[in-house]
Amino acid sequence: MAESQSSTETDWVSRFADDVIAESERRAPGKPVVVASGLSPSGPIHLGNLREVMTPHLVADEIRRRGFEVRHLISWDDYDRYRKVPNGVPGVDASWAEHIGRPLTAVPAPAGSAYPNWAEHFKAAMVEALGELGVEYDGISQTEQYQAGTYREQILLAMRRRGDIDAILDQYRTKKVVKKQSQKAVDEAELEAAEGSGAAAEDDGSTGAGGYFPYKPYCGGCNKDLTTVVAYDDESTELSYRCEACGFTETVKLSEFNRGKLVWKVDWPMRWAFEGVMFEPSGVDHSSPGSSFQVGEEIVRIFGFERPIGPMYAFVGISGMAKMSSSKGGVPTPGDALKIMEPQLLRWLYARRRPNQSFKIAFDQEIQRLYDEWDKLEGKVADGSVLPADAAAHSRAVRTAAGELVRTERPLPYRTLASVVDVTAGDEEQTLRILNDLDPANPLGSLDEARPRLDKAEAWITTQVPVESRTVVREVADAETLAALGETERESLRLLLDGLDSHWSLDGLTTLVYGVPKVQAGFEPDAKPTAEMKVAQRSFFALLYQLLVGRDTGPRLPTLLLAVGADRVRKLLGG
């Protein structure tokens, strides 16, 4: 309680929590606070979609920390139509196009899947990721809701008020929307990530000879939503439709019929009212003039409710997308990110930026810098020098109201772990030896102390670093290069080799490799380097890389030397 109060007004989560609590007390006093997210399992649920969940999750968790009862609803929009066959999904070919227009729960899962249908297949990976991220929520299947007749009264109300709904929608149908050009160019996969669920592009109902109708039946013949309502009677609730795909016609009683749904721009505000939602964010695809969130503000009044508080959230980019999308045919998912980074880091990336601020999630070398930044923050939290807003973001990353997330007991630097795994090719005995040499005075009891961070670093090396960029230590010395060395270069190698035994730790070897060129120039090893000395250091480092791994660059030299081992270093450097 004290922690949350001290962070109030210092971070965006606390400010939204204040607003949502006030709104809930005004509109639904004495009831649980309700926040909501919506996810369409129409394909892989990517890291852009995760912002739809993390934004209300963080706010709900703050409200929960303050002692209020709160529900975070995740609406699985699995009764939406199947819109297109996604590219690059294993087990899916062009034949899946025959299912376009059917509910996602009526489309077969990709070949070889353990799940009963398309929606459940793509939902499963997200459910697993949310569990690892510590997200507490109530999941709602829209297929189950509609097929159980849960929204019967709301559907009948929308049909009675179809003229009013049509008039609201008509205000926006002819408006020209000017697209902003603020987003710099991104590759095709990133554009797919920015697209959202696609629901924002859905039509807003059918208008034919019988007028406008905000309800779409799924066809009794082909189970597709390519239907047109041709007549409806408010008194009897008799509804007649024809299918434009297969020609099937049917007359049903809407008061008893459960094979259809409200069109998206009516469905979303209906659910706000039905669930009593006080907070739900929306992506850019739902927030432009005339789109779902804007129109919903007026349509929700028909259902006797007010639109929830809802910030527009910005684009989430990917650093290192190209390598990944070429093999996967799509954008990375939360599960992909959690293979290479701990949940705390991923939570922190969403917690530290306001929803309207874009950011990137790293799958390339940038992940090492992000981990360095995270470890530096952890140090500031430990010594009490952290700023309040940073402390709040850190707290939201490492724990929820339910408790701390599982964390690495000995969080060694990610870049060091990646380098060691790279050099040892994952050999556990070698890895443990090297990690213990990092700090001989404080050895690891087992590799489990370095997990799960060690496993994440290994996954990054094996899945994200191209084979040609991985480190392969020479088997034998490069005799030709050694023979061609000048006296200055020979002396630098002698100084290094002479100091190996007395400097055999990460800190010691760091001092040694940076100090050799200083000593050669007549300075002390800890002297501040001049510009000229920095040039000499770079030349010395390039020589060592060439003799050890046959390239001009590689993992940090102190880590590389530890990984190679003193005896082999001497052999490769001509000692």
Side-chain angles (χ1 to χ4, degrees):
M1 189 78 174
E3 176 191 35
S4 297
Q5 287 174 336
S6 66
S7 66
T8 301
E9 297 307 321
T10 63
D11 69 306
W12 67 267
V13 179
S14 288
R15 290 193 292 273
F16 272 124
D18 292 341
D19 293 345
V20 174
I21 289 168
E23 191 78 355
S24 189
E25 289 178 342
R26 178 178 71 84
R27 292 164 57 179
K31 293 184 179 179
V33 179
V34 179
V35 307
S37 306
L39 293 173
S40 176
S42 56
I45 299 173
H46 53 68
L47 286 160
N49 301 136
L50 183 59
R51 204 165 203 181
E52 169 79 24
V53 174
M54 289 306 296
T55 302
H57 161 68
L58 291 165
V59 172
D61 192 66
E62 169 64 19
I63 294 170
R64 204 173 278 122
R65 291 188 197 206
R66 296 185 190 184
F68 292 89
E69 188 179 353
V70 60
R71 294 181 70 210
H72 179 185
L73 308 179
I74 292 185
S75 209
W76 299 104
D77 291 325
D78 52 14
Y79 208 45
D80 284 0
R81 73 192 307 268
Y82 185 58
R83 297 186 307 117
K84 64 179 182 179
V85 182
N87 293 326
V89 173
V92 176
D93 58 32
S95 67
W96 262 259
E98 72 176 89
H99 301 292
I100 289 173
R102 291 180 177 140
L104 293 170
T105 41
V107 177
S113 170
Y115 296 95
N117 59 59
W118 186 272
E120 289 301 311
H121 174 83
F122 289 106
K123 189 169 126 183
M126 189 65 167
V127 168
E128 183 179 349
L130 293 176
E132 192 172 343
L133 286 164
V135 176
E136 183 181 329
Y137 66 94
D138 295 338
I140 298 174
S141 162
Q142 290 306 315
T143 297
E144 292 177 6
Q145 294 288 86
Y146 270 105
Q147 291 186 345
T150 304
Y151 303 135
R152 172 105 55 231
E153 292 307 314
Q154 287 73 23
I155 291 169
L156 296 176
L157 171 62
M159 290 294 274
R160 284 197 302 274
R161 299 286 299 276
R162 59 190 179 275
D164 296 329
I165 292 171
D166 189 32
I168 292 168
L169 293 171
D170 199 47
Q171 296 173 41
Y172 298 94
R173 287 186 181 121
T174 56
K175 286 187 177 180
K176 292 183 178 179
V177 178
V178 179
K179 290 187 178 179
K180 293 183 178 179
Q181 300 297 322
S182 59
Q183 176 67 49
K184 62 184 179 182
V186 291
D187 69 21
E188 187 177 342
E190 288 188 338
L191 284 172
E192 185 181 329
E195 185 181 286
S197 70
E202 293 294 305
D203 67 41
D204 54 18
S206 58
T207 303
Y212 167 79
F213 299 101
Y215 180 81
K216 275 268 189 184
Y218 280 109
C219 173
C222 65
N223 201 22
K224 295 184 178 181
D225 72 341
L226 303 173
T227 56
T228 301
V229 176
V230 295
Y232 179 70
D233 180 71
D234 285 308
E235 186 103 8
S236 65
T237 76
E238 279 198 353
L239 178 147
S240 300
Y241 72 88
R242 70 171 179 273
C243 179
E244 310 299 341
C246 70
F248 183 85
T249 61
E250 186 177 24
T251 298
V252 298
K253 270 200 164 187
L254 196 53
S255 57
E256 302 169 359
F257 181 74
N258 296 330
R259 198 182 62 246
K261 71 185 291 287
L262 291 170
V263 296
W264 171 251
K265 288 183 181 178
V266 182
D267 172 77
W268 196 14
M270 177 275 290
R271 287 190 270 134
W272 289 337
F274 185 84
E275 303 289 359
V277 177
M278 296 295 156
F279 179 85
E280 182 169 5
S282 60
V284 291
D285 55 338
H286 292 308
S287 299
S288 57
S291 63
S292 317
F293 200 72
Q294 298 297 316
V295 175
E297 182 172 11
E298 297 182 50
I299 291 178
V300 75
R301 294 180 190 134
I302 289 172
F303 298 98
F305 201 68
E306 296 175 50
R307 189 178 77 175
I309 297 170
M312 182 189 82
Y313 55 86
F315 176 70
V316 175
I318 306 297
S319 171
M321 168 78 74
K323 287 192 282 289
M324 187 164 221
S325 58
S326 62
S327 62
K328 289 176 63 67
V331 294
T333 65
D336 293 324
L338 288 167
K339 286 185 177 73
I340 65 169
M341 63 180 70
E342 293 164 277
Q344 291 88 342
L345 185 74
L346 189 56
R347 286 176 63 92
W348 178 60
L349 294 177
Y350 288 87
R352 70 175 181 156
R353 295 281 185 260
R354 295 192 305 274
N356 64 354
Q357 291 179 307
S358 61
F359 65 90
K360 287 201 168 191
I361 295 175
F363 281 77
D364 57 10
Q365 297 282 342
E366 180 70 7
I367 193 174
Q368 299 185 351
R369 189 197 63 76
L370 280 174
Y371 256 104
D372 289 345
E373 194 178 346
W374 169 252
D375 288 344
K376 188 176 179 182
L377 174 61
E378 291 249 66
K380 288 182 176 180
V381 170
D383 68 22
S385 64
V386 67
L387 295 172
D390 293 334
H394 175 269
S395 172
R396 302 187 197 294
V398 301
R399 68 182 63 86
T400 68
E404 292 248 349
L405 273 69
V406 175
R407 60 190 302 159
T408 301
E409 183 181 342
R410 289 279 299 278
L412 299 169
Y414 189 91
R415 65 174 65 243
T416 299
L417 294 173
S419 295
V420 171
V421 169
D422 182 23
V423 174
T424 64
D427 182 285
E428 293 209 349
E429 188 177 331
Q430 282 282 82
T431 299
L432 183 59
R433 173 189 67 78
I434 297 161
L435 295 182
N436 279 336
D437 283 341
L438 295 176
D439 184 4
N442 192 18
L444 293 170
S446 75
L447 288 181
D448 288 342
E449 293 178 31
R451 292 188 165 110
R453 185 178 289 197
L454 173 63
D455 297 329
K456 309 294 185 183
E458 182 172 6
W460 179 70
I461 285 289
T462 55
T463 65
Q464 301 304 314
V465 178
V467 173
E468 63 273 16
S469 298
R470 294 181 201 166
T471 304
V472 180
V473 179
R474 289 183 183 275
E475 290 294 327
V476 296
D478 182 354
E480 186 178 340
T481 299
L482 285 169
L485 295 179
E487 184 51 40
T488 301
E489 293 168 317
R490 291 178 190 277
E491 183 192 17
S492 67
L493 295 181
R494 278 198 302 273
L495 287 168
L496 179 76
L497 293 173
D498 289 346
L500 279 185
D501 290 341
S502 58
H503 290 81
W504 197 254
S505 69
L506 188 64
D507 290 343
L509 289 173
T510 301
T511 300
L512 180 62
V513 296
Y514 280 89
V516 164
K518 298 178 186 178
V519 171
Q520 281 190 286
F523 295 96
E524 291 297 318
D526 58 354
K528 189 174 181 179
T530 62
E532 186 179 350
M533 200 180 295
K534 287 180 180 178
V535 173
Q537 285 175 328
R538 283 194 291 271
S539 298
F540 177 52
F541 297 165
L543 171 63
L544 292 178
Y545 283 126
Q546 194 58 237
L547 292 172
L548 294 171
V549 298
R551 296 205 315 260
D552 290 335
T553 60
R556 290 189 70 242
L557 278 167
T559 308
L560 178 60
L561 293 171
L562 286 174
V564 175
D567 291 343
R568 196 171 174 194
V569 168
R570 288 189 177 91
K571 173 184 164 187
L572 294 176
L573 298 187

